[in-house]
Amino acid sequence: MTAISAPTVMLDVTFVIAAYNAADTLADAIASALAQEGVSLEVIVVDDCSTDGTREMVADYSDSRVRLIAQAINGGPAAARNAGFSAATGRWIAVLDADDTIHPHRLRTMIDRAKAADAQVVVDNIDVVPLDGGAPEPMFPREELQKRPLMTLAEFIRSNVIFGSTFNFGYMKPIFERIFLLEHGLRFDETLRIGEDYALLAAALASGARCAVEPSAGYVYHLRHGSISRILKPHHLHAMLEADETFLQRYRLDADAMAAQKLRTRSIREAASFITLIDEIKKRSVGGILKTAIGHPQALKHLRMPIAVRMRRLAKAVGVH
């Protein structure tokens, strides 16, 4: 990892961008961070062993607010973000994906919201730009977010029940008060390749963070062909179950949050069984289909809906796009 010098003056916010072969989109992400109005900032780009010139492009930035960390080995997005968190100096830390952007008012609005609510975490709405580059649409109805000035742990867990009908707040990109993360030893779970964002925010809420909700959209989520396309496998869901078990061992949940967690756990197990069943169907393995159906009968109920539709819902539920 390359050494970087830290500024001596406390900044309002540090943007952490984990980048892997992101040369085509990274410049727009950085530019949107640098264009923030009314805040002092730095942008830390953590290059995760790119092979497309991403590292060289960041190193050549003339703006001193852009800093580079070059990972020695490819450790995945969680490890890259943790490296950025360790180097951050801002009062607030904001994660920005290398293929997304943010509106100029975002951080000023969120920090003001945090101050008004005495919050250590803030989430906001998301503008989704379609594949054809058309006009963005908000991910969540503004009126729905206005109903909840603060997000509770139970609400957050319940929104991340797979195959559920509620909004998935796991897509939100929170900003965190850095001192709160340090005081509670909170970092991304590097064993997770899917669901690491959910795990960090859940841990922050379980640690007592107040999470304010800003109904306006500040984060811009760009749908792209082939962007972070990952095939969901049972081992991804098993890793999520293990992470949730560690979460339950570390934190004591109230009755509402525990009820939501039980729903989430059951849904992940059902999703894992469903994927296994689909794999057996694709292989045309009668024995495998029968074994899965007998051992995990809950997977069968998901066949009532067309498989393609159910798989899309499953991918959306765990943040795969």
Side-chain angles (χ1 to χ4, degrees):
M1 184 184 301
T2 58
I4 55 177
S5 59
T8 58
V9 178
M10 175 72 77
L11 301 170
D12 292 320
V13 59
T14 296
F15 289 95
V16 173
I17 304 177
Y20 176 72
N21 288 348
D24 291 341
T25 62
L26 182 57
D28 288 340
I30 294 174
S32 72
L34 294 176
Q36 291 299 288
E37 300 169 352
V39 294
S40 57
L41 61 93
E42 65 180 349
V43 179
I44 296 179
V45 179
V46 185
D47 180 72
D48 204 19
C49 300
S50 296
T51 59
D52 68 342
T54 294
R55 182 175 302 189
E56 294 76 13
M57 182 183 74
V58 178
D60 288 341
Y61 260 82
S62 59
D63 194 318
S64 61
R65 293 175 295 173
V66 179
R67 305 160 62 199
L68 170 68
I69 295 177
Q71 295 284 76
I73 59 173
N74 179 282
R81 290 171 183 165
N82 282 338
F85 276 33
S86 295
T89 64
R91 292 184 178 90
W92 293 87
I93 297 180
V95 170
L96 175 58
D97 287 348
D99 55 354
D100 291 333
T101 56
I102 49 178
H103 291 308
H105 58 78
R106 185 186 188 229
L107 263 294
R108 184 69 269 161
T109 299
M110 295 181 82
I111 292 173
D112 289 345
R113 176 73 64 172
K115 184 177 180 180
D118 189 24
Q120 296 77 43
V121 181
V122 188
V123 294
D124 61 349
N125 210 338
I126 298 173
D127 270 341
V128 181
V129 179
L131 287 171
D132 62 7
E137 293 286 342
M139 181 174 287
F140 308 104
R142 185 184 179 105
E143 58 271 18
E144 288 295 328
L145 297 187
Q146 288 175 330
K147 296 176 183 177
R148 44 173 68 82
L150 293 174
M151 184 185 297
T152 67
L153 176 59
E155 283 180 311
F156 182 62
I157 295 174
R158 195 171 288 114
S159 80
N160 282 268
V161 171
I162 297 178
F163 299 135
S165 59
T166 60
F167 303 113
N168 186 348
F169 296 134
Y171 271 90
M172 290 175 159
K173 293 291 186 178
I175 66 169
F176 297 94
E177 188 179 48
R178 184 168 61 90
I179 190 65
F180 183 88
L181 296 179
L182 292 173
E183 288 176 346
H184 293 275
L186 299 177
R187 295 168 62 83
F188 284 101
D189 185 341
E190 297 181 13
T191 67
L192 292 174
R193 290 293 180 127
I194 292 176
E196 68 276 10
D197 297 308
Y198 165 84
L200 179 59
L201 181 49
L205 292 170
S207 297
R210 286 170 61 87
C211 179
V213 179
E214 169 54 49
S216 66
Y219 194 94
V220 184
Y221 179 79
H222 296 261
L223 294 177
R224 304 180 191 276
H225 291 290
S227 64
I228 322 180
S229 296
R230 293 173 288 188
I231 299 174
L232 194 63
K233 294 293 185 181
H235 72 265
H236 292 135
L237 294 165
H238 293 319
M240 291 168 64
L241 286 172
E242 291 180 1
D244 279 10
E245 183 61 32
T246 300
F247 172 75
L248 289 172
Q249 292 173 1
R250 182 174 180 182
Y251 301 105
R252 178 173 296 180
L253 277 57
D254 62 27
D256 194 17
M258 181 57 76
Q261 181 61 50
K262 288 180 179 178
L263 288 174
R264 171 177 160 82
T265 299
R266 185 166 66 245
S267 75
I268 295 174
R269 288 174 177 160
E270 288 185 4
S273 299
F274 175 67
I275 291 177
T276 299
L277 180 61
I278 297 306
D279 287 343
E280 297 297 340
I281 291 174
K282 289 179 178 178
K283 291 187 293 186
R284 298 183 180 181
S285 170
V286 176
I289 293 170
L290 290 175
K291 181 178 179 181
T292 303
I294 293 171
H296 307 279
Q298 68 273 20
L300 294 175
K301 69 180 182 180
H302 298 296
L303 293 179
R304 297 171 187 168
M305 180 180 291
I307 290 174
V309 174
R310 184 61 80 183
M311 291 299 288
R312 284 197 297 270
R313 288 193 178 185
L314 173 58
K316 182 178 180 182
V318 297
V320 180
H321 61 284

